[in-house]
């Protein structure tokens, strides 16, 4: 299994958020992670990336234990995070972002390959990231993650605030990642995007994964979606 999580507990100073998460994700699998606001989705992906400390439990990538390791060690082990709200470096250019990211792990993804996939970024190569539109910043955040040639990609609401055309491009990038054997965990509110790219759907509630089924099965069961998410 590319990513295996067992009994993962984590949280912030005064509050435990994750209450023992178990999660397996295979190479080339895409799992959509849904859940109400505050369910703990971002806390899960940030814990997996080493940005929220692990209280207890195990996280392995290709069999290597990563729980309790530093974020940079986890990144070098092949875990890439596209955080909620993008977080690009506003005073670096697009080209500088890509050059930095491509230093980490060599593999199939190159700067040229990424720019072919996201031509808008090629046009903006010399521009400061802080001057990009929201959609362009999101593309840059995705490009930066891919250039580290990850085994596992954690995308936290990549479609947030984006025009449909850009959401389509992100969907195409996720599909390409899947065909390259990357394990993708996609936190998403946009159900159209989630259903379009994910093999399976998982739902988080109160810091636990309470439901996980193939996407087609989830779509056939609106009652469960309504009960867990409050949507039809
Ligand atoms: N930096 C923080 N310090 C303290 N508590 C936090 C922090 N970040 C999140 N929390 C709390 O942890 C819980 C889970 O938040 P989290 O951001 O993981 O939820 P989420 O499922 O990503 O929600 P959303 O759909 O709104 O993005 C919430 O109760 C939140 O208030
Ligand atoms: Mg969140």
């Amino acid at each position: 299994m590319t990513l295996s999580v067992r009994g993962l507990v984590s949280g912030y100073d005064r509050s435990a958020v994750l209450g023992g998460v178990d999660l397996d994700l295979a190479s080339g699998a895409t799992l959509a992670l849904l859940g109400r606001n505050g369910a703990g989705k971002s806390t899960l992906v940030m814990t997996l990336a080493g940005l929220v400390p692990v209280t207890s439990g195990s996280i392995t990538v290709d069999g290597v234990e990563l729980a309790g390791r530093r974020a940079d060690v986890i990144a070098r082990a092949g875990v890439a995070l596209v955080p909620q709200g993008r977080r690009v470096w506003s005073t670096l250019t697009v080209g500088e972002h890509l050059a930095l990211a491509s230093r980490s792990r060599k593999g199939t993804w190159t700067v040229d390959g990424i720019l072919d996939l996201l031509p808008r970024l090629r046009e903006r190569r010399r521009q400061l990231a802080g001057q990009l539109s929201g959609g362009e910043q999101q593309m840059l955040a995705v490009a930066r993650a891919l250039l580290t040639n990850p085994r596992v990609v954690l995308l936290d609401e990549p479609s947030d605030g984006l025009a449909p055309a850009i959401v389509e491009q992100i969907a195409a990038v996720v599909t390409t990642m899947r065909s390259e054997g990357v394990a993708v965990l996609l936190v998403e509110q946009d159900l159209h995007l989630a259903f379009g790219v994910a093999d399976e759907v998982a739902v988080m509630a109160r810091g636990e994964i309470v439901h996980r089924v193939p996407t087609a099965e989830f779509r056939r069961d609106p009652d469960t979606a309504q009960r867990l998410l409050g949507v039809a």
Side-chain angles (χ1 to χ4, degrees):
M1 200 53 69
T2 300
L3 173 68
S4 270
V5 178
R6 291 290 175 276
L8 187 63
V9 176
S10 80
Y12 307 95
D13 286 346
R14 269 173 232 88
S15 56
V17 175
L18 301 186
V21 170
D22 295 327
L23 181 68
D24 282 318
L25 204 52
S27 170
T30 300
L31 176 68
L33 182 64
L34 313 180
R36 294 174 194 257
N37 296 124
K41 306 178 297 295
S42 293
T43 302
L44 173 59
V45 295
M46 290 202 297
T47 305
L48 296 179
L51 299 173
V52 171
V54 172
T55 307
S56 61
S58 162
I59 302 165
T60 62
V61 171
D62 294 329
V64 176
E65 181 60 54
L66 295 176
R69 308 301 301 273
R70 285 202 326 257
D72 59 312
V73 174
I74 293 171
R76 275 198 302 279
V79 178
L81 169 67
V82 179
Q84 193 166 13
R86 303 168 195 124
R87 309 217 182 137
V88 295
W89 298 296
S90 55
T91 57
L92 295 186
T93 66
V94 168
E96 286 165 345
H97 273 86
L98 301 180
L100 274 177
S102 65
R103 290 195 327 194
S104 43
R105 280 162 60 102
K106 300 298 167 206
T108 51
W109 294 95
T110 61
V111 171
D112 267 342
I114 296 275
L115 292 177
D116 287 344
L117 201 62
L118 298 169
R120 187 90 187 153
L121 288 183
R122 193 187 291 281
E123 294 167 24
R124 294 281 178 275
R125 211 166 170 173
R126 286 180 187 76
Q127 196 162 332
L128 294 178
Q131 296 168 352
L132 299 174
S133 74
E136 291 164 348
Q137 287 186 18
Q138 188 63 289
M139 283 185 213
L140 179 57
V142 171
R144 179 174 62 180
L146 281 183
L147 276 173
T148 66
N149 285 294
R151 299 284 299 135
V152 178
V153 170
L154 312 166
L155 295 156
D156 197 352
E157 304 205 17
S159 78
D160 194 19
L162 301 189
I166 295 175
V167 176
E168 285 308 314
Q169 285 195 32
I170 288 176
V173 173
V174 171
T175 304
T176 307
M177 283 194 258
R178 180 171 57 192
S179 67
E180 302 269 343
V182 178
V184 180
L185 183 61
L186 172 67
V187 177
E188 198 39 81
Q189 310 263 5
D190 178 340
L191 295 184
H192 180 74
L193 171 61
F195 293 161
V197 298
D199 319 297
E200 288 183 282
V201 174
V203 179
M204 215 171 172
R206 281 165 259 97
E208 289 176 28
I209 291 177
V210 296
H211 190 60
R212 178 171 174 170
V213 290
T215 303
E217 190 177 326
F218 189 85
R219 299 185 73 169
R220 278 198 303 269
D221 186 5
D223 291 349
T224 300
Q226 171 68 34
R227 177 170 56 81
L228 295 173
L229 302 171
V231 296

